[in-house]
Amino acid sequence: MAKFMITEEKAFELVSKYGSPLYVYDEEILRERCRELINLVAFENYRVNYSAKANTNLEILKIIREEGLDVDAMSPGEIIIEEKAGFSPDRIFYICNNVSAEEMMFAIERGITVSVDSLSQLDLFGRINPGGEIAVRFNPGVGVGHHEMVNTGGRKTKFGVEKSFITEVKKLLTKHRLTLVGINQHMGSLFLDGQKYIEGVRNLFEIAKEFEGLDYIDIGGGFGIPYQPDEKRLDLEELGRNLTQVFSEFLEEYGNKDVILKVEPGRYIVAECGILLGTVYSTKENYGIKYVGTDLGFNVLMRPVLYDSYHEIRVLKHPDNPVDNERKETVNVVGNICETGDILAKGRELPVINEGDLLSVMDAGAYGFVMSSNYNCRLRPAEVLVDRKGNDRLIRKREIYDDLLRHFILGD
Ligand SMILES: *Cc1c(COP(=O)(O)O)cnc(C)c1O
């Protein structure tokens, strides 16, 4: 059961019940993905931190907590939602970049470990919390990722402290009497070939050897999923074997044998359990190009516009529409936002689509809803969870027009 495949009947039922567009998640697949990563390596001292920015729905977070994962946070807002989902401070890791003293204090006061990613932020942390415990994010100069925009570990990104500043890091730690409890990295998002990742991990272990007595080493997330139908799955077994080997080698040399290995995947956990359902409201031809007009604008799913991403689309035929299994058409699937770039899929070959059909956009569970917006004053969609018995449950309400007016200063 790799991906969430909804039946036509269920899709139409959900859309009539909760409205369109609609995010739908499958609980079983979500739990399966959590377990796969929990079992990635056999070390006792191994933890999975879910990188919550991929999907911060409260109910999704609760399930992930039940499965035994910890979480990363990128902002105080994420910390607040994670606390609501029941994560205790020791299970939250605040990986910030370029934040104010107030934002750092927000985590420090709660007893949440902070990871800083520059010398200046390390110095700031030391000034506001001398004698405290801290983690530092390094950038060993190796990046992975499907797109320049999500490559976070290379030499040309804003993230991390470069390797050659280790001496400066040590000086600042001493100056503020800080204890370095962990080091971390994140090389980028969506790798499908584990080799480069392992190379980056080795680099981080080299940096780790420069610091005695670390409690943990966090090697980052970025585990890819096959968005394209012909893409090969990431070989987790092989990756697990390789990780086990390089970490064992590292442990033999390192002073603290109890040091914990951590990974921080986001997408891998939540992408495939989620679909986005939308409705086809018009079809037309413009100067030789066929357009399928839907309510799936980039206000609802931004990845195709932001990263030129591919999402598989399944056509769910309305019972009254003709089904022609032989014929396919090449179409542009577009949304209802007033922007030329509002294209979900360009030049895509799909079965013949009629008005009233539904589209199921696959692998929409990660960086889907969380990136949605009110652009064009459109309402964010509802989110629904389908449990293991096939029962559906609303886990976030669809917005209402009052939500659009909420922050204005309304006179009479
Ligand atoms: C986004 C992010 C992740 C998760 O990336 P995925 O590609 O979703 O696995 C992990 N760590 C950090 C620091 C991140 O910013």
mmCIF file of all heavy atoms in Angstrom, residues 37 49-55 72-74 93 95-97 115 137 146 150 152 159 184-191 218-224 263-270 366-367, ligand 1:
data_model
loop_
_atom_site.group_PDB
_atom_site.id
_atom_site.type_symbol
_atom_site.label_atom_id
_atom_site.label_comp_id
_atom_site.label_asym_id
_atom_site.label_seq_id
_atom_site.Cartn_x
_atom_site.Cartn_y
_atom_site.Cartn_z
ATOM 1 N N LEU A 37 10.461 4.385 9.177
ATOM 2 C CA LEU A 37 11.622 5.187 9.561
ATOM 3 C C LEU A 37 12.109 4.872 10.965
ATOM 4 O O LEU A 37 13.299 4.930 11.248
ATOM 5 C CB LEU A 37 11.321 6.678 9.402
ATOM 6 C CG LEU A 37 11.251 7.117 7.932
ATOM 7 C CD1 LEU A 37 11.124 8.604 7.814
ATOM 8 C CD2 LEU A 37 12.453 6.641 7.137
ATOM 9 N N ASN A 49 13.038 12.400 14.329
ATOM 10 C CA ASN A 49 12.343 13.661 14.562
ATOM 11 C C ASN A 49 11.525 13.985 13.318
ATOM 12 O O ASN A 49 12.101 14.176 12.249
ATOM 13 C CB ASN A 49 13.349 14.819 14.730
ATOM 14 C CG ASN A 49 13.892 14.922 16.123
ATOM 15 O OD1 ASN A 49 13.956 13.928 16.843
ATOM 16 N ND2 ASN A 49 14.292 16.113 16.493
ATOM 17 N N TYR A 50 10.234 14.066 13.462
ATOM 18 C CA TYR A 50 9.413 14.470 12.323
ATOM 19 C C TYR A 50 9.564 15.976 12.124
ATOM 20 O O TYR A 50 9.386 16.756 13.057
ATOM 21 C CB TYR A 50 7.951 14.099 12.587
ATOM 22 C CG TYR A 50 6.977 14.762 11.641
ATOM 23 C CD1 TYR A 50 7.092 14.559 10.269
ATOM 24 C CD2 TYR A 50 5.959 15.586 12.102
ATOM 25 C CE1 TYR A 50 6.214 15.176 9.380
ATOM 26 C CE2 TYR A 50 5.076 16.193 11.237
ATOM 27 C CZ TYR A 50 5.210 15.991 9.875
ATOM 28 O OH TYR A 50 4.346 16.610 9.013
ATOM 29 N N SER A 51 9.902 16.384 10.916
ATOM 30 C CA SER A 51 10.036 17.810 10.628
ATOM 31 C C SER A 51 8.653 18.359 10.305
ATOM 32 O O SER A 51 8.136 18.213 9.199
ATOM 33 C CB SER A 51 10.977 17.995 9.431
ATOM 34 O OG SER A 51 11.148 19.367 9.189
ATOM 35 N N ALA A 52 8.063 18.985 11.310
ATOM 36 C CA ALA A 52 6.625 19.273 11.262
ATOM 37 C C ALA A 52 6.217 20.278 10.200
ATOM 38 O O ALA A 52 5.048 20.361 9.853
ATOM 39 C CB ALA A 52 6.151 19.740 12.634
ATOM 40 N N LYS A 53 7.177 21.031 9.673
ATOM 41 C CA LYS A 53 6.742 22.037 8.705
ATOM 42 C C LYS A 53 6.078 21.425 7.469
ATOM 43 O O LYS A 53 5.332 22.084 6.771
ATOM 44 C CB LYS A 53 7.907 22.935 8.302
ATOM 45 C CG LYS A 53 8.923 22.322 7.356
ATOM 46 C CD LYS A 53 9.952 23.397 6.978
ATOM 47 C CE LYS A 53 10.835 23.031 5.821
ATOM 48 N NZ LYS A 53 11.912 22.079 6.174
ATOM 49 N N ALA A 54 6.320 20.122 7.227
ATOM 50 C CA ALA A 54 5.711 19.453 6.079
ATOM 51 C C ALA A 54 4.196 19.343 6.213
ATOM 52 O O ALA A 54 3.462 19.375 5.224
ATOM 53 C CB ALA A 54 6.319 18.067 5.888
ATOM 54 N N ASN A 55 3.738 19.191 7.446
ATOM 55 C CA ASN A 55 2.295 19.129 7.699
ATOM 56 C C ASN A 55 2.061 19.295 9.197
ATOM 57 O O ASN A 55 2.432 18.434 9.980
ATOM 58 C CB ASN A 55 1.713 17.791 7.224
ATOM 59 C CG ASN A 55 0.190 17.776 7.288
ATOM 60 O OD1 ASN A 55 -0.414 18.310 8.216
ATOM 61 N ND2 ASN A 55 -0.428 17.170 6.303
ATOM 62 N N ASP A 72 10.692 18.244 15.113
ATOM 63 C CA ASP A 72 11.436 19.483 14.916
ATOM 64 C C ASP A 72 10.437 20.631 14.842
ATOM 65 O O ASP A 72 9.306 20.438 14.403
ATOM 66 C CB ASP A 72 12.171 19.469 13.571
ATOM 67 C CG ASP A 72 13.440 18.640 13.607
ATOM 68 O OD1 ASP A 72 13.794 18.152 14.682
ATOM 69 O OD2 ASP A 72 14.058 18.494 12.537
ATOM 70 N N ALA A 73 10.896 21.808 15.231
ATOM 71 C CA ALA A 73 10.073 23.000 15.039
ATOM 72 C C ALA A 73 10.925 24.050 14.352
ATOM 73 O O ALA A 73 12.142 24.114 14.569
ATOM 74 C CB ALA A 73 9.576 23.514 16.380
ATOM 75 N N MET A 74 10.298 24.850 13.519
ATOM 76 C CA MET A 74 11.013 25.907 12.804
ATOM 77 C C MET A 74 10.598 27.284 13.297
ATOM 78 O O MET A 74 11.119 28.296 12.838
ATOM 79 C CB MET A 74 10.708 25.846 11.300
ATOM 80 C CG MET A 74 10.968 24.513 10.655
ATOM 81 S SD MET A 74 12.722 24.203 10.428
ATOM 82 C CE MET A 74 12.775 22.444 10.616
ATOM 83 N N PHE A 93 12.649 19.850 19.117
ATOM 84 C CA PHE A 93 13.972 20.395 18.788
ATOM 85 C C PHE A 93 13.729 21.635 17.922
ATOM 86 O O PHE A 93 13.158 21.531 16.833
ATOM 87 C CB PHE A 93 14.770 19.322 18.028
ATOM 88 C CG PHE A 93 16.216 19.660 17.752
ATOM 89 C CD1 PHE A 93 16.978 20.413 18.648
ATOM 90 C CD2 PHE A 93 16.831 19.187 16.597
ATOM 91 C CE1 PHE A 93 18.322 20.695 18.387
ATOM 92 C CE2 PHE A 93 18.172 19.465 16.329
ATOM 93 C CZ PHE A 93 18.912 20.226 17.231
ATOM 94 N N ILE A 95 14.865 24.182 15.518
ATOM 95 C CA ILE A 95 15.932 24.472 14.554
ATOM 96 C C ILE A 95 15.610 25.808 13.909
ATOM 97 O O ILE A 95 14.807 25.898 12.984
ATOM 98 C CB ILE A 95 16.005 23.380 13.471
ATOM 99 C CG1 ILE A 95 16.184 22.009 14.133
ATOM 100 C CG2 ILE A 95 17.143 23.662 12.496
ATOM 101 C CD1 ILE A 95 16.320 20.871 13.150
ATOM 102 N N CYS A 96 16.238 26.855 14.438
ATOM 103 C CA CYS A 96 15.845 28.165 13.934
ATOM 104 C C CYS A 96 16.929 28.742 13.052
ATOM 105 O O CYS A 96 18.076 28.296 13.064
ATOM 106 C CB CYS A 96 15.532 29.099 15.090
ATOM 107 S SG CYS A 96 16.804 29.192 16.336
ATOM 108 N N ASN A 97 16.548 29.707 12.268
ATOM 109 C CA ASN A 97 17.558 30.479 11.566
ATOM 110 C C ASN A 97 17.123 31.914 11.449
ATOM 111 O O ASN A 97 15.976 32.218 11.155
ATOM 112 C CB ASN A 97 18.007 29.769 10.269
ATOM 113 C CG ASN A 97 17.222 30.075 9.049
ATOM 114 O OD1 ASN A 97 17.501 31.031 8.330
ATOM 115 N ND2 ASN A 97 16.234 29.260 8.799
ATOM 116 N N SER A 115 18.725 24.882 18.205
ATOM 117 C CA SER A 115 19.860 24.735 17.291
ATOM 118 C C SER A 115 20.042 26.050 16.557
ATOM 119 O O SER A 115 19.102 26.557 15.938
ATOM 120 C CB SER A 115 19.576 23.611 16.293
ATOM 121 O OG SER A 115 20.350 23.797 15.118
ATOM 122 N N ARG A 137 23.951 23.938 14.012
ATOM 123 C CA ARG A 137 23.735 23.349 12.687
ATOM 124 C C ARG A 137 24.930 23.660 11.795
ATOM 125 O O ARG A 137 25.281 24.823 11.599
ATOM 126 C CB ARG A 137 22.470 23.936 12.076
ATOM 127 C CG ARG A 137 22.200 23.459 10.651
ATOM 128 C CD ARG A 137 20.828 23.920 10.193
ATOM 129 N NE ARG A 137 20.544 23.519 8.826
ATOM 130 C CZ ARG A 137 19.371 23.704 8.223
ATOM 131 N NH1 ARG A 137 18.375 24.280 8.902
ATOM 132 N NH2 ARG A 137 19.177 23.344 6.990
ATOM 133 N N HIS A 146 15.935 18.057 -5.019
ATOM 134 C CA HIS A 146 15.357 17.915 -6.351
ATOM 135 C C HIS A 146 15.356 19.225 -7.117
ATOM 136 O O HIS A 146 15.089 19.260 -8.301
ATOM 137 C CB HIS A 146 13.922 17.386 -6.236
ATOM 138 C CG HIS A 146 12.983 18.323 -5.526
ATOM 139 N ND1 HIS A 146 12.085 19.110 -6.189
ATOM 140 C CD2 HIS A 146 12.820 18.613 -4.211
ATOM 141 C CE1 HIS A 146 11.389 19.817 -5.310
ATOM 142 N NE2 HIS A 146 11.823 19.542 -4.114
ATOM 143 N N VAL A 150 15.405 23.812 -2.884
ATOM 144 C CA VAL A 150 15.291 22.988 -1.680
ATOM 145 C C VAL A 150 16.613 22.319 -1.324
ATOM 146 O O VAL A 150 16.684 21.474 -0.456
ATOM 147 C CB VAL A 150 14.193 21.903 -1.805
ATOM 148 C CG1 VAL A 150 12.838 22.558 -1.921
ATOM 149 C CG2 VAL A 150 14.449 20.993 -2.981
ATOM 150 N N THR A 152 19.563 22.568 0.628
ATOM 151 C CA THR A 152 19.838 23.423 1.780
ATOM 152 C C THR A 152 21.244 23.240 2.339
ATOM 153 O O THR A 152 21.637 23.931 3.263
ATOM 154 C CB THR A 152 18.842 23.113 2.915
ATOM 155 O OG1 THR A 152 18.870 21.713 3.147
ATOM 156 C CG2 THR A 152 17.451 23.552 2.550
ATOM 157 N N PHE A 159 22.116 28.209 4.800
ATOM 158 C CA PHE A 159 22.010 27.431 6.037
ATOM 159 C C PHE A 159 23.335 26.969 6.640
ATOM 160 O O PHE A 159 24.290 26.686 5.933
ATOM 161 C CB PHE A 159 21.141 26.195 5.789
ATOM 162 C CG PHE A 159 19.720 26.523 5.492
ATOM 163 C CD1 PHE A 159 19.221 26.404 4.212
ATOM 164 C CD2 PHE A 159 18.880 26.993 6.495
ATOM 165 C CE1 PHE A 159 17.901 26.722 3.933
ATOM 166 C CE2 PHE A 159 17.573 27.319 6.228
ATOM 167 C CZ PHE A 159 17.080 27.181 4.936
ATOM 168 N N ASN A 184 23.831 19.270 14.128
ATOM 169 C CA ASN A 184 22.856 18.818 13.144
ATOM 170 C C ASN A 184 23.157 19.411 11.781
ATOM 171 O O ASN A 184 23.948 20.342 11.642
ATOM 172 C CB ASN A 184 21.431 19.182 13.595
ATOM 173 C CG ASN A 184 21.247 20.638 13.945
ATOM 174 O OD1 ASN A 184 21.945 21.174 14.801
ATOM 175 N ND2 ASN A 184 20.341 21.301 13.279
ATOM 176 N N GLN A 185 22.509 18.822 10.792
ATOM 177 C CA GLN A 185 22.604 19.342 9.431
ATOM 178 C C GLN A 185 21.325 18.960 8.712
ATOM 179 O O GLN A 185 20.554 18.120 9.165
ATOM 180 C CB GLN A 185 23.807 18.751 8.689
ATOM 181 C CG GLN A 185 23.645 17.284 8.319
ATOM 182 C CD GLN A 185 24.762 16.778 7.397
ATOM 183 O OE1 GLN A 185 25.671 17.506 7.049
ATOM 184 N NE2 GLN A 185 24.689 15.527 7.010
ATOM 185 N N HIS A 186 21.091 19.601 7.602
ATOM 186 C CA HIS A 186 20.010 19.172 6.717
ATOM 187 C C HIS A 186 20.463 19.510 5.321
ATOM 188 O O HIS A 186 20.641 20.666 4.995
ATOM 189 C CB HIS A 186 18.705 19.896 7.074
ATOM 190 C CG HIS A 186 17.584 19.573 6.139
ATOM 191 N ND1 HIS A 186 17.120 18.289 5.964
ATOM 192 C CD2 HIS A 186 16.858 20.354 5.314
ATOM 193 C CE1 HIS A 186 16.145 18.299 5.060
ATOM 194 N NE2 HIS A 186 15.975 19.533 4.651
ATOM 195 N N MET A 187 20.679 18.483 4.521
ATOM 196 C CA MET A 187 21.361 18.717 3.248
ATOM 197 C C MET A 187 20.439 19.127 2.125
ATOM 198 O O MET A 187 20.892 19.599 1.087
ATOM 199 C CB MET A 187 22.120 17.447 2.842
ATOM 200 C CG MET A 187 23.324 17.181 3.713
ATOM 201 S SD MET A 187 24.113 15.634 3.247
ATOM 202 C CE MET A 187 23.129 14.451 4.142
ATOM 203 N N GLY A 188 19.152 18.924 2.318
ATOM 204 C CA GLY A 188 18.233 19.279 1.246
ATOM 205 C C GLY A 188 17.087 18.310 1.215
ATOM 206 O O GLY A 188 17.028 17.376 2.006
ATOM 207 N N SER A 189 16.195 18.532 0.296
ATOM 208 C CA SER A 189 14.952 17.802 0.311
ATOM 209 C C SER A 189 14.792 16.936 -0.925
ATOM 210 O O SER A 189 15.143 17.351 -2.029
ATOM 211 C CB SER A 189 13.806 18.803 0.377
ATOM 212 O OG SER A 189 12.656 18.174 0.852
ATOM 213 N N LEU A 190 14.282 15.740 -0.711
ATOM 214 C CA LEU A 190 13.854 14.870 -1.801
ATOM 215 C C LEU A 190 14.996 14.154 -2.513
ATOM 216 O O LEU A 190 15.055 14.163 -3.731
ATOM 217 C CB LEU A 190 13.053 15.680 -2.835
ATOM 218 C CG LEU A 190 11.737 15.074 -3.314
ATOM 219 C CD1 LEU A 190 11.076 15.966 -4.342
ATOM 220 C CD2 LEU A 190 11.865 13.679 -3.840
ATOM 221 N N PHE A 191 15.892 13.540 -1.741
ATOM 222 C CA PHE A 191 16.873 12.714 -2.436
ATOM 223 C C PHE A 191 16.306 11.306 -2.578
ATOM 224 O O PHE A 191 15.566 10.826 -1.722
ATOM 225 C CB PHE A 191 18.225 12.697 -1.706
ATOM 226 C CG PHE A 191 18.198 11.988 -0.392
ATOM 227 C CD1 PHE A 191 18.385 10.615 -0.320
ATOM 228 C CD2 PHE A 191 17.977 12.681 0.788
ATOM 229 C CE1 PHE A 191 18.342 9.953 0.893
ATOM 230 C CE2 PHE A 191 17.933 12.015 2.001
ATOM 231 C CZ PHE A 191 18.108 10.658 2.054
ATOM 232 N N ASP A 218 22.489 14.812 14.579
ATOM 233 C CA ASP A 218 21.259 14.802 13.786
ATOM 234 C C ASP A 218 21.633 15.003 12.320
ATOM 235 O O ASP A 218 22.115 16.066 11.933
ATOM 236 C CB ASP A 218 20.367 15.936 14.315
ATOM 237 C CG ASP A 218 19.083 16.090 13.538
ATOM 238 O OD1 ASP A 218 18.969 15.561 12.421
ATOM 239 O OD2 ASP A 218 18.186 16.775 14.066
ATOM 240 N N ILE A 219 21.428 13.965 11.524
ATOM 241 C CA ILE A 219 21.951 13.993 10.150
ATOM 242 C C ILE A 219 20.971 14.550 9.130
ATOM 243 O O ILE A 219 21.235 14.531 7.936
ATOM 244 C CB ILE A 219 22.428 12.585 9.720
ATOM 245 C CG1 ILE A 219 21.262 11.589 9.785
ATOM 246 C CG2 ILE A 219 23.589 12.129 10.591
ATOM 247 C CD1 ILE A 219 21.656 10.186 9.313
ATOM 248 N N GLY A 220 19.812 15.019 9.584
ATOM 249 C CA GLY A 220 18.903 15.718 8.678
ATOM 250 C C GLY A 220 17.850 14.826 8.052
ATOM 251 O O GLY A 220 17.808 13.616 8.263
ATOM 252 N N GLY A 221 16.980 15.490 7.284
ATOM 253 C CA GLY A 221 15.891 14.774 6.596
ATOM 254 C C GLY A 221 16.152 14.770 5.113
ATOM 255 O O GLY A 221 17.296 14.636 4.686
ATOM 256 N N GLY A 222 15.086 14.901 4.357
ATOM 257 C CA GLY A 222 15.236 14.979 2.903
ATOM 258 C C GLY A 222 14.901 13.699 2.166
ATOM 259 O O GLY A 222 14.981 13.656 0.940
ATOM 260 N N PHE A 223 14.525 12.654 2.895
ATOM 261 C CA PHE A 223 14.180 11.365 2.271
ATOM 262 C C PHE A 223 13.094 11.569 1.218
ATOM 263 O O PHE A 223 12.013 12.043 1.526
ATOM 264 C CB PHE A 223 13.680 10.381 3.331
ATOM 265 C CG PHE A 223 14.680 10.096 4.428
ATOM 266 C CD1 PHE A 223 15.055 11.087 5.317
ATOM 267 C CD2 PHE A 223 15.229 8.835 4.563
ATOM 268 C CE1 PHE A 223 15.982 10.829 6.316
ATOM 269 C CE2 PHE A 223 16.153 8.562 5.564
ATOM 270 C CZ PHE A 223 16.536 9.564 6.436
ATOM 271 N N GLY A 224 13.395 11.160 -0.002
ATOM 272 C CA GLY A 224 12.488 11.437 -1.112
ATOM 273 C C GLY A 224 11.396 10.400 -1.279
ATOM 274 O O GLY A 224 11.475 9.286 -0.768
ATOM 275 N N VAL A 263 17.509 11.367 12.793
ATOM 276 C CA VAL A 263 17.160 11.829 11.449
ATOM 277 C C VAL A 263 15.944 12.747 11.588
ATOM 278 O O VAL A 263 15.210 12.656 12.574
ATOM 279 C CB VAL A 263 16.820 10.666 10.482
ATOM 280 C CG1 VAL A 263 18.059 9.839 10.179
ATOM 281 C CG2 VAL A 263 15.702 9.791 11.031
ATOM 282 N N GLU A 264 15.730 13.612 10.596
ATOM 283 C CA GLU A 264 14.588 14.524 10.707
ATOM 284 C C GLU A 264 13.806 14.649 9.405
ATOM 285 O O GLU A 264 13.767 15.716 8.798
ATOM 286 C CB GLU A 264 15.038 15.900 11.210
ATOM 287 C CG GLU A 264 16.321 16.409 10.572
ATOM 288 C CD GLU A 264 16.746 17.769 11.089
ATOM 289 O OE1 GLU A 264 16.732 17.978 12.307
ATOM 290 O OE2 GLU A 264 17.094 18.612 10.241
ATOM 291 N N PRO A 265 13.151 13.567 9.001
ATOM 292 C CA PRO A 265 12.371 13.599 7.770
ATOM 293 C C PRO A 265 11.021 14.295 7.945
ATOM 294 O O PRO A 265 10.409 14.210 9.016
ATOM 295 C CB PRO A 265 12.139 12.110 7.473
ATOM 296 C CG PRO A 265 12.151 11.472 8.818
ATOM 297 C CD PRO A 265 13.087 12.254 9.667
ATOM 298 N N GLY A 266 10.591 14.968 6.917
ATOM 299 C CA GLY A 266 9.257 15.561 6.908
ATOM 300 C C GLY A 266 8.417 14.895 5.829
ATOM 301 O O GLY A 266 7.512 14.116 6.086
ATOM 302 N N ARG A 267 8.814 15.185 4.594
ATOM 303 C CA ARG A 267 8.058 14.699 3.439
ATOM 304 C C ARG A 267 7.789 13.191 3.463
ATOM 305 O O ARG A 267 6.671 12.752 3.207
ATOM 306 C CB ARG A 267 8.849 15.027 2.166
ATOM 307 C CG ARG A 267 8.172 14.603 0.889
ATOM 308 C CD ARG A 267 9.109 14.749 -0.311
ATOM 309 N NE ARG A 267 9.923 15.933 -0.212
ATOM 310 C CZ ARG A 267 9.570 17.142 -0.640
ATOM 311 N NH1 ARG A 267 8.419 17.291 -1.243
ATOM 312 N NH2 ARG A 267 10.370 18.168 -0.477
ATOM 313 N N TYR A 268 8.824 12.403 3.765
ATOM 314 C CA TYR A 268 8.670 10.953 3.655
ATOM 315 C C TYR A 268 7.530 10.441 4.535
ATOM 316 O O TYR A 268 6.820 9.506 4.179
ATOM 317 C CB TYR A 268 9.978 10.238 4.020
ATOM 318 C CG TYR A 268 9.945 8.789 3.615
ATOM 319 C CD1 TYR A 268 10.318 8.411 2.332
ATOM 320 C CD2 TYR A 268 9.485 7.814 4.492
ATOM 321 C CE1 TYR A 268 10.243 7.091 1.921
ATOM 322 C CE2 TYR A 268 9.406 6.489 4.091
ATOM 323 C CZ TYR A 268 9.786 6.130 2.810
ATOM 324 O OH TYR A 268 9.693 4.826 2.407
ATOM 325 N N ILE A 269 7.352 11.094 5.685
ATOM 326 C CA ILE A 269 6.330 10.649 6.633
ATOM 327 C C ILE A 269 4.919 10.956 6.116
ATOM 328 O O ILE A 269 4.024 10.128 6.231
ATOM 329 C CB ILE A 269 6.511 11.378 7.993
ATOM 330 C CG1 ILE A 269 7.950 11.255 8.482
ATOM 331 C CG2 ILE A 269 5.489 10.917 9.010
ATOM 332 C CD1 ILE A 269 8.254 10.132 9.375
ATOM 333 N N VAL A 270 4.727 12.145 5.554
ATOM 334 C CA VAL A 270 3.352 12.588 5.306
ATOM 335 C C VAL A 270 2.930 12.716 3.839
ATOM 336 O O VAL A 270 1.732 12.836 3.552
ATOM 337 C CB VAL A 270 3.068 13.938 6.016
ATOM 338 C CG1 VAL A 270 2.952 13.746 7.516
ATOM 339 C CG2 VAL A 270 4.107 14.996 5.674
ATOM 340 N N ALA A 366 2.480 16.378 2.010
ATOM 341 C CA ALA A 366 3.610 17.170 2.501
ATOM 342 C C ALA A 366 3.720 18.470 1.721
ATOM 343 O O ALA A 366 3.654 18.458 0.483
ATOM 344 C CB ALA A 366 4.907 16.374 2.347
ATOM 345 N N TYR A 367 3.917 19.560 2.421
ATOM 346 C CA TYR A 367 4.060 20.883 1.799
ATOM 347 C C TYR A 367 2.857 21.193 0.907
ATOM 348 O O TYR A 367 2.986 21.822 -0.133
ATOM 349 C CB TYR A 367 5.388 20.977 1.027
ATOM 350 C CG TYR A 367 6.571 20.610 1.894
ATOM 351 C CD1 TYR A 367 7.249 19.406 1.738
ATOM 352 C CD2 TYR A 367 6.965 21.465 2.925
ATOM 353 C CE1 TYR A 367 8.295 19.057 2.577
ATOM 354 C CE2 TYR A 367 8.011 21.126 3.768
ATOM 355 C CZ TYR A 367 8.668 19.925 3.588
ATOM 356 O OH TYR A 367 9.702 19.576 4.427
HETATM 357 C C1 LIG B 1 12.478 21.030 5.922
HETATM 358 C C2 LIG B 1 13.480 20.471 6.823
HETATM 359 C C3 LIG B 1 13.528 19.079 7.055
HETATM 360 C C4 LIG B 1 12.623 18.107 6.367
HETATM 361 O O1 LIG B 1 12.859 17.993 5.001
HETATM 362 P P1 LIG B 1 12.093 16.868 4.182
HETATM 363 O O2 LIG B 1 12.594 16.990 2.804
HETATM 364 O O3 LIG B 1 10.640 17.177 4.264
HETATM 365 O O4 LIG B 1 12.415 15.559 4.785
HETATM 366 C C5 LIG B 1 14.452 18.617 7.962
HETATM 367 N N1 LIG B 1 15.301 19.455 8.612
HETATM 368 C C6 LIG B 1 15.286 20.773 8.420
HETATM 369 C C7 LIG B 1 16.218 21.620 9.165
HETATM 370 C C8 LIG B 1 14.380 21.331 7.516
HETATM 371 O O5 LIG B 1 14.380 22.648 7.325
#
